[in-house]
Amino acid sequence: SLLHSAQEIEKPIAGTSFPLQDVLEAQQFDRDLLNSIFEVAQQMEKVEKDSTSSRAHVLDGFLMATLFYEPSTRTRLSFESAMKRLGGEVLTTENAREFSSAAKGETLEDTIRTVEGYSDLIVLRHFESGAARRAAEVANIPVINAGDGPGQHPTQALLDTYTIQREIGRLDNIKVGLVGDLANGRTVRSLAYLLARYSGVKIYFVAPDVVKMKDDIKEYLDSRNVDWEESADLMEVASQCDVVYQTRIQRERFGDRIDLYNEARGKYIVDRKVMDVLQPHAVVLHPLPRLDEITIDVDTDPRAAYFRQAKNGLYIRMALIKLLLRGW
Amino acid sequence: SLLHSAQEIEKPIAGTSFPLQDVLEAQQFDRDLLNSIFEVAQQMEKVEKDSTSSRAHVLDGFLMATLFYEPSTRTRLSFESAMKRLGGEVLTTENAREFSSAAKGETLEDTIRTVEGYSDLIVLRHFESGAARRAAEVANIPVINAGDGPGQHPTQALLDTYTIQREIGRLDNIKVGLVGDLANGRTVRSLAYLLARYSGVKIYFVAPDVVKMKDDIKEYLDSRNVDWEESADLMEVASQCDVVYQTRIQRERFGDRIDLYNEARGKYIVDRKVMDVLQPHAVVLHPLPRLDEITIDVDTDPRAAYFRQAKNGLYIRMALIKLLLRGW
Amino acid sequence: SLLHSAQEIEKPIAGTSFPLQDVLEAQQFDRDLLNSIFEVAQQMEKVEKDSTSSRAHVLDGFLMATLFYEPSTRTRLSFESAMKRLGGEVLTTENAREFSSAAKGETLEDTIRTVEGYSDLIVLRHFESGAARRAAEVANIPVINAGDGPGQHPTQALLDTYTIQREIGRLDNIKVGLVGDLANGRTVRSLAYLLARYSGVKIYFVAPDVVKMKDDIKEYLDSRNVDWEESADLMEVASQCDVVYQTRIQRERFGDRIDLYNEARGKYIVDRKVMDVLQPHAVVLHPLPRLDEITIDVDTDPRAAYFRQAKNGLYIRMALIKLLLRGW
């Protein structure tokens, strides 16, 4: 299958069009496509480094609209930096839900039909699952899903996978511990989907009882013959894994049950003791923002890769924007 | 008079200065000036289309400040896209009323005197009628009124008129049905003013009783010998007109009288039945945002011109910005 | 000492690096550094004037992030205009406190570590004193403090000092009246620090009793042998001074004591009567926004320099941004 023959596939030819019209969900990406995108992302490290000595012009004259119906400064700035590092320009809206005609009752589809007239690419963050797909269905320009509610956040999944590739050097034959809020965490769910593209992957789920990984992902992994197990022993998992992917327990999911939140929150903390058992080549990732689920004394450890991971978001987004607008 | 001698007027000479220092109200534009602006707007279609292959430099180094005291994402993005498509740059404020020193009690005049030091052009959206004129009186740089409360929104009026020119091919000898909230609708009032610049125009007013067109406009049309009539029969009007201009019933105008709002809202809907009687060459316009006063099954009809109309806002704004900063 | 030997110091050599890595507080600037920065600021007047005929490229490809945890449109637009007038680009966030991951509990340090990956310079406005220093400690790129709560606002202090230099022609041997809210006014406190760099300075404090200048500044001025006195007679002070620096009484500092606020607010007003006793060469400054502590009939007096002062903020910020990113 496509998933096991990367070596037989020729690289995309420069100038040919990107196979995707929009970036909507992690499932759009098979391993060949991921590999090719990751090569472009790595080239983007050089484009970015050179930008202050010689501004890039690859997207000169292109205009990206960032429509954020739900504020997310980190994601928005990452996309806008990506566009500008490539020489493109940005129209921005920080809080479209409150400020736009959506407040007057306009449908998302109507907003998209208008905004596509003003730009060449739409980056959409929305509070409703499926919003990005609805936008892409009416838009005649590319749409990138920058997170749609409990749904997808595909560029985060790509940057997570890219970070493992960059930090560990491979995506086959790795052991990954997913830690924290596995029930609500959009990122760990998408990452599990993408890891299933690779062979020899073993996934450990380490989650408080109230936020355990849901069955649909477990069944999906089974269907792809991906080995997984649940564990309550973070130290044991950390000592085994190449990657410990920690996540924040999301208070907003607990409603009035602050007691449950507090119990879940303190259960699995990545601290110096965890780092002591982590293998020398292994890394700790986190999608950020972080509260106290990774203690700050871990930050100076070279295996603390979460800020490098955030930076990789820039390269992945530069790659995707360039590919959607200019092709390979 | 000026209004009837377009053919005798020479075109503006390239490089000569634009006769207006600011764009404050629809009344500033006579038919010759409209015609000349519309020619520039049409050239802007090409500038925009070429922008991604060759970025425009006509406003290189120019800086526009968009001061929005009342959020309006559609209008703001349209102006900012216009500036950027011309190669200029933008300073933006999405919600100046809440975020700026206005919250500390600073006058608009003081804000303008400061912001004019940071930019070459101010686009002002404000909640008070007359704000744009007050801004223009103190500013030494051009001011464009992007809507001042119940007052004026001249670029909307220009883009509406331009759209009729582009869609119908003329502005003389046309029949236009203005439908919906004619009492509060800033756009229909301004459009009526501009249509009075042309000859052989017939205007139909189709509005629920509580939001009928006010007498001042009727008297103005009489004074310009523009033929108008009121009608309660949307089907009949639609079958006669070249342009059906539908508008949203604005709930915010009804206060507690939700019953009146609901009655007004459902009364005149542009749906497939209306489209069935509309002439083949005629078009439906709407300033957007739309709720359900045009049903979405109308969208695919080629005579549904409202998204093309929104796009024309870009070209009109490109033309005005270019003319104010660079002349003809 | 360094402070008294400007004439013996050689000018910085073009291309050498700026001695500061960050701009955090007024105390970082001695008089030689101020003089050199002011020379660059004056050159920036020409760069700005030429920008629309020939866009500057000195910061082509550079990206500045404006992180404003507390809205301040005036300051934000001034910094963003400065960056764009130099040819650089901006990532902006108007209200980071509410919109960013700070709302989810992320520390400032984590936010800075992420944003530094997306930009070349961070301009930070924050509600907590010391925030800019904390940001600078973790950032590997320059940080400019654009005001941190009751703490510092060093670019305001520099632009105030630069304005006196430009308007009066010198900073030694001047008499300056500081008027209004001297207890809470960040700007007058910073200005007092900077004026202490110069010789022969005399400072008058004219403040309502409830907002008098605090002892720490008075002691600092004593330690630098700067002559100062308190006065309740604005007319007398105005007739003596080269500079009358008026400030706004800040209502937000009075809590429920509206009576005290109203009493303080009306006490010292700069009006035509004050202008009548002001010397011909003297000027009135104000950090803006202004309420009614300077009456608007003063605005047309050529000695009303507060809007020129606001404009000088652009030149000072252009100078600092250029120096931090490119050196002398």
Side-chain angles (χ1 to χ4, degrees):
Chain A
S1 89
L2 255 179
L3 298 179
H4 296 87
S5 56
Q7 63 284 11
E8 304 160 26
I9 298 291
E10 291 185 37
K11 288 191 188 177
I13 297 165
T16 59
S17 66
F18 189 55
L20 307 179
Q21 295 202 307
D22 306 284
V23 171
L24 303 177
E25 55 181 33
Q27 289 88 322
Q28 291 175 286
F29 298 88
D30 64 30
R31 64 179 286 159
D32 290 319
L33 188 54
L34 288 172
N35 286 343
S36 299
I37 291 169
F38 291 169
E39 284 187 22
V40 177
Q42 202 167 337
Q43 294 160 14
M44 291 301 166
E45 296 187 20
K46 183 164 163 41
V47 173
E48 187 234 6
K49 200 185 306 295
D50 293 348
S51 65
T52 58
S53 51
S54 159
R55 177 173 166 272
H57 291 277
V58 60
L59 293 184
D60 235 12
F62 281 87
L63 210 39
M64 177 178 94
T66 46
L67 277 184
F68 274 53
Y69 284 80
E70 177 182 76
S72 175
T73 304
R74 177 191 313 284
T75 303
R76 185 172 61 82
L77 294 190
S78 169
F79 272 109
E80 295 185 354
S81 178
M83 186 65 181
K84 294 189 174 187
R85 289 296 192 198
L86 289 163
E89 270 290 346
V90 174
L91 304 175
T92 190
T93 183
E94 197 165 355
N95 193 359
R97 186 182 200 168
E98 187 182 335
F99 290 167
S100 78
S101 41
K104 297 176 188 158
E106 183 176 64
T107 64
L108 175 65
E109 282 81 357
D110 276 15
T111 302
I112 295 294
R113 279 192 189 96
T114 304
V115 172
E116 71 166 333
Y118 305 152
S119 58
D120 304 302
L121 168 72
I122 292 173
V123 175
L124 180 71
R125 172 90 164 203
H126 204 276
F127 48 90
E128 278 181 15
S129 188
R133 179 164 297 282
R134 287 166 49 207
E137 272 161 16
V138 299
N140 290 307
I141 60 174
V143 172
I144 300 180
N145 183 359
D148 54 352
Q152 288 266 349
H153 191 8
T155 61
Q156 178 73 44
L158 263 68
L159 80 89
D160 290 343
T161 314
Y162 178 62
T163 300
I164 297 173
Q165 169 70 51
R166 290 288 283 149
E167 296 284 337
I168 306 300
R170 65 179 189 281
L171 284 154
D172 293 315
N173 304 311
I174 55 170
K175 293 180 180 171
V176 178
L178 303 179
V179 186
D181 185 346
L182 305 186
N184 303 302
R186 192 167 52 182
T187 57
V188 286
R189 292 172 53 83
S190 297
L191 181 56
Y193 273 111
L194 285 192
L195 290 175
R197 270 48 177 158
Y198 297 89
S199 60
V201 170
K202 169 79 182 270
I203 301 181
Y204 298 86
F205 299 126
V206 184
D209 282 346
V210 289
V211 287
K212 288 172 93 79
M213 180 57 82
K214 290 178 179 167
D215 286 342
D216 62 332
I217 295 289
K218 295 176 185 170
E219 286 159 14
Y220 179 76
L221 294 176
D222 285 340
S223 77
R224 304 297 292 246
N225 295 316
V226 177
D227 194 15
W228 61 268
E229 67 176 79
E230 294 189 309
S231 168
D233 186 345
L234 175 56
M235 295 296 278
E236 171 65 19
V237 167
S239 71
Q240 299 285 327
C241 281
D242 303 289
V243 175
V244 172
Y245 192 105
Q246 173 69 296
T247 61
R248 178 172 66 95
I249 307 291
Q250 299 178 44
R251 178 149 80 184
E252 54 271 34
R253 307 287 182 169
F254 286 82
D256 291 339
R257 299 303 307 270
I258 300 297
D259 55 330
L260 289 180
Y261 165 67
N262 283 326
E263 186 193 328
R265 182 181 174 184
K267 192 148 173 87
Y268 297 111
I269 303 288
V270 173
D271 56 15
R272 289 286 348 149
K273 279 183 288 184
V274 172
M275 298 308 279
D276 285 345
V277 302
L278 195 72
Q279 298 175 71
H281 78 279
V283 291
V284 175
L285 302 186
H286 190 298
L288 306 179
R290 155 204 38 192
L291 299 187
D292 55 8
E293 61 275 3
I294 302 177
T295 58
I296 58 168
D297 55 3
V298 170
D299 292 0
T300 51
D301 191 301
R303 296 167 299 175
Y306 27 92
F307 293 115
R308 296 195 294 274
Q309 179 187 4
K311 181 69 177 255
N312 285 335
L314 177 71
Y315 303 130
I316 283 292
R317 285 160 187 145
M318 287 175 77
L320 289 173
I321 291 170
K322 188 267 182 185
L323 291 168
L324 286 168
L325 291 174
R326 285 287 206 182
W328 295 105
Chain B
S1 88
L2 256 179
L3 297 178
H4 295 88
S5 57
Q7 63 284 10
E8 305 159 27
I9 298 290
E10 288 184 40
K11 288 189 189 179
I13 297 165
T16 58
S17 66
F18 189 55
L20 307 179
Q21 294 201 306
D22 306 284
V23 171
L24 302 178
E25 56 181 32
Q27 289 88 322
Q28 291 176 285
F29 299 88
D30 64 31
R31 65 179 286 159
D32 290 319
L33 188 54
L34 288 172
N35 287 343
S36 299
I37 292 169
F38 292 170
E39 283 185 25
V40 176
Q42 201 165 339
Q43 294 159 14
M44 291 300 167
E45 297 187 20
K46 183 165 163 39
V47 173
E48 186 234 6
K49 201 185 306 294
D50 292 348
S51 65
T52 58
S53 51
S54 159
R55 177 172 166 272
H57 291 277
V58 61
L59 293 185
D60 235 12
F62 281 87
L63 209 40
M64 176 179 94
T66 46
L67 277 183
F68 274 54
Y69 284 79
E70 176 181 77
S72 175
T73 303
R74 176 191 313 283
T75 303
R76 185 173 61 82
L77 294 189
S78 170
F79 271 107
E80 296 185 354
S81 179
M83 186 66 181
K84 294 189 174 187
R85 289 298 192 198
L86 289 163
E89 271 290 347
V90 174
L91 303 176
T92 190
T93 184
E94 196 165 357
N95 193 359
R97 187 182 198 169
E98 187 181 336
F99 290 166
S100 78
S101 41
K104 297 176 188 158
E106 183 176 64
T107 64
L108 175 65
E109 282 81 357
D110 276 15
T111 303
I112 294 295
R113 280 192 189 95
T114 304
V115 173
E116 72 166 332
Y118 305 151
S119 58
D120 304 303
L121 169 70
I122 292 174
V123 175
L124 179 72
R125 173 90 165 202
H126 204 275
F127 48 91
E128 278 181 15
S129 187
R133 179 164 297 282
R134 285 166 51 207
E137 272 161 16
V138 298
N140 290 306
I141 61 174
V143 172
I144 300 179
N145 183 359
D148 52 353
Q152 287 266 349
H153 191 7
T155 62
Q156 178 73 43
L158 263 67
L159 80 89
D160 289 343
T161 314
Y162 178 62
T163 300
I164 297 173
Q165 169 72 49
R166 291 288 283 149
E167 296 284 336
I168 305 300
R170 65 179 190 281
L171 284 155
D172 293 315
N173 303 312
I174 56 171
K175 294 180 181 171
V176 178
L178 303 178
V179 187
D181 185 345
L182 305 186
N184 303 301
R186 192 166 52 182
T187 58
V188 286
R189 292 172 54 82
S190 298
L191 181 57
Y193 273 111
L194 286 192
L195 289 175
R197 271 44 177 161
Y198 297 89
S199 60
V201 170
K202 169 77 182 271
I203 301 181
Y204 298 86
F205 300 125
V206 185
D209 283 346
V210 289
V211 287
K212 288 172 94 80
M213 180 56 82
K214 291 179 178 167
D215 286 341
D216 63 332
I217 296 288
K218 293 175 185 170
E219 287 160 13
Y220 179 77
L221 294 177
D222 285 340
S223 77
R224 304 295 294 244
N225 294 316
V226 177
D227 195 16
W228 61 267
E229 68 176 80
E230 294 190 308
S231 169
D233 187 345
L234 175 58
M235 294 295 278
E236 173 64 19
V237 166
S239 72
Q240 298 286 327
C241 281
D242 303 288
V243 176
V244 172
Y245 191 105
Q246 174 69 296
T247 60
R248 180 172 65 95
I249 307 290
Q250 299 177 44
R251 178 150 79 184
E252 55 270 35
R253 307 286 183 171
F254 286 83
D256 291 339
R257 299 303 307 271
I258 301 297
D259 54 330
L260 291 180
Y261 166 67
N262 283 326
E263 186 193 328
R265 183 181 172 184
K267 191 147 173 87
Y268 298 112
I269 303 289
V270 173
D271 57 15
R272 289 287 346 151
K273 278 182 287 185
V274 171
M275 298 307 280
D276 285 345
V277 303
L278 196 71
Q279 299 176 70
H281 78 280
V283 292
V284 176
L285 302 186
H286 191 298
L288 305 179
R290 154 201 44 190
L291 299 187
D292 54 9
E293 62 275 4
I294 301 177
T295 58
I296 59 169
D297 56 2
V298 170
D299 292 359
T300 51
D301 191 302
R303 296 167 300 175
Y306 27 93
F307 293 115
R308 297 195 293 275
Q309 179 186 4
K311 181 69 178 254
N312 285 335
L314 178 71
Y315 303 130
I316 283 291
R317 286 160 186 145
M318 288 175 76
L320 290 173
I321 291 170
K322 188 268 182 186
L323 291 168
L324 286 168
L325 291 174
R326 285 288 207 183
W328 295 106
Chain C
S1 88
L2 254 180
L3 297 180
H4 296 88
S5 57
Q7 62 284 12
E8 305 159 24
I9 298 292
E10 289 184 38
K11 287 190 188 180
I13 297 165
T16 60
S17 66
F18 190 56
L20 308 179
Q21 294 201 309
D22 306 283
V23 171
L24 303 178
E25 55 181 32
Q27 289 87 322
Q28 291 176 286
F29 299 88
D30 64 31
R31 66 179 285 160
D32 289 319
L33 188 55
L34 287 172
N35 286 343
S36 299
I37 292 169
F38 291 170
E39 282 186 25
V40 176
Q42 201 166 339
Q43 293 160 13
M44 291 301 166
E45 297 187 20
K46 182 164 162 43
V47 173
E48 187 235 5
K49 200 185 306 294
D50 292 348
S51 66
T52 58
S53 51
S54 159
R55 177 172 165 271
H57 290 277
V58 61
L59 293 184
D60 235 11
F62 282 87
L63 210 39
M64 177 179 94
T66 46
L67 277 183
F68 273 54
Y69 283 79
E70 175 181 77
S72 175
T73 304
R74 176 191 314 282
T75 303
R76 185 173 60 81
L77 293 189
S78 170
F79 272 107
E80 296 185 353
S81 178
M83 186 66 181
K84 293 189 174 188
R85 289 296 192 199
L86 290 163
E89 271 290 345
V90 174
L91 304 176
T92 189
T93 183
E94 196 164 355
N95 193 358
R97 186 181 199 169
E98 187 181 337
F99 290 167
S100 78
S101 41
K104 297 176 186 158
E106 182 176 66
T107 64
L108 175 65
E109 283 80 357
D110 276 14
T111 303
I112 295 294
R113 279 192 189 95
T114 303
V115 173
E116 72 166 331
Y118 305 151
S119 58
D120 304 303
L121 169 71
I122 291 174
V123 175
L124 180 71
R125 173 89 165 202
H126 204 275
F127 48 91
E128 278 180 15
S129 187
R133 180 164 295 283
R134 286 166 51 207
E137 272 161 15
V138 298
N140 291 306
I141 62 174
V143 172
I144 299 180
N145 183 359
D148 53 353
Q152 287 267 349
H153 191 7
T155 62
Q156 178 74 44
L158 263 67
L159 80 88
D160 290 343
T161 314
Y162 178 61
T163 300
I164 297 173
Q165 169 71 50
R166 291 287 283 149
E167 295 284 336
I168 305 300
R170 66 179 189 279
L171 284 155
D172 293 316
N173 305 311
I174 55 171
K175 294 179 180 170
V176 178
L178 303 179
V179 185
D181 186 344
L182 305 186
N184 303 301
R186 191 167 53 183
T187 58
V188 286
R189 292 171 53 83
S190 297
L191 180 56
Y193 273 112
L194 285 191
L195 289 175
R197 268 55 175 153
Y198 297 88
S199 59
V201 170
K202 169 80 182 269
I203 301 181
Y204 299 86
F205 299 126
V206 185
D209 283 346
V210 290
V211 287
K212 289 172 92 80
M213 180 57 82
K214 291 178 179 168
D215 285 342
D216 62 332
I217 296 288
K218 294 176 185 170
E219 287 159 12
Y220 179 78
L221 294 177
D222 285 340
S223 77
R224 304 297 294 247
N225 295 315
V226 177
D227 194 15
W228 60 267
E229 68 175 81
E230 294 189 309
S231 169
D233 187 345
L234 175 57
M235 295 295 278
E236 171 65 20
V237 166
S239 72
Q240 299 286 327
C241 281
D242 303 288
V243 176
V244 172
Y245 192 104
Q246 174 68 296
T247 61
R248 180 173 66 94
I249 307 290
Q250 299 177 45
R251 180 151 78 185
E252 54 271 35
R253 307 287 182 169
F254 286 82
D256 291 340
R257 299 303 307 270
I258 300 297
D259 54 331
L260 290 181
Y261 165 68
N262 284 326
E263 186 193 328
R265 182 181 174 185
K267 191 147 173 88
Y268 297 112
I269 302 289
V270 174
D271 55 16
R272 288 289 344 153
K273 277 182 289 184
V274 171
M275 297 309 278
D276 285 344
V277 303
L278 195 71
Q279 298 176 71
H281 78 281
V283 291
V284 176
L285 302 187
H286 190 297
L288 305 180
R290 155 201 44 190
L291 300 187
D292 54 9
E293 62 275 3
I294 301 177
T295 58
I296 58 169
D297 55 3
V298 170
D299 293 359
T300 51
D301 190 301
R303 296 167 297 174
Y306 27 93
F307 293 114
R308 296 195 294 275
Q309 179 187 5
K311 181 69 177 255
N312 285 334
L314 177 70
Y315 303 130
I316 283 291
R317 285 158 187 146
M318 288 177 76
L320 290 173
I321 292 170
K322 188 268 182 186
L323 291 168
L324 287 168
L325 292 174
R326 286 288 207 182
W328 295 105

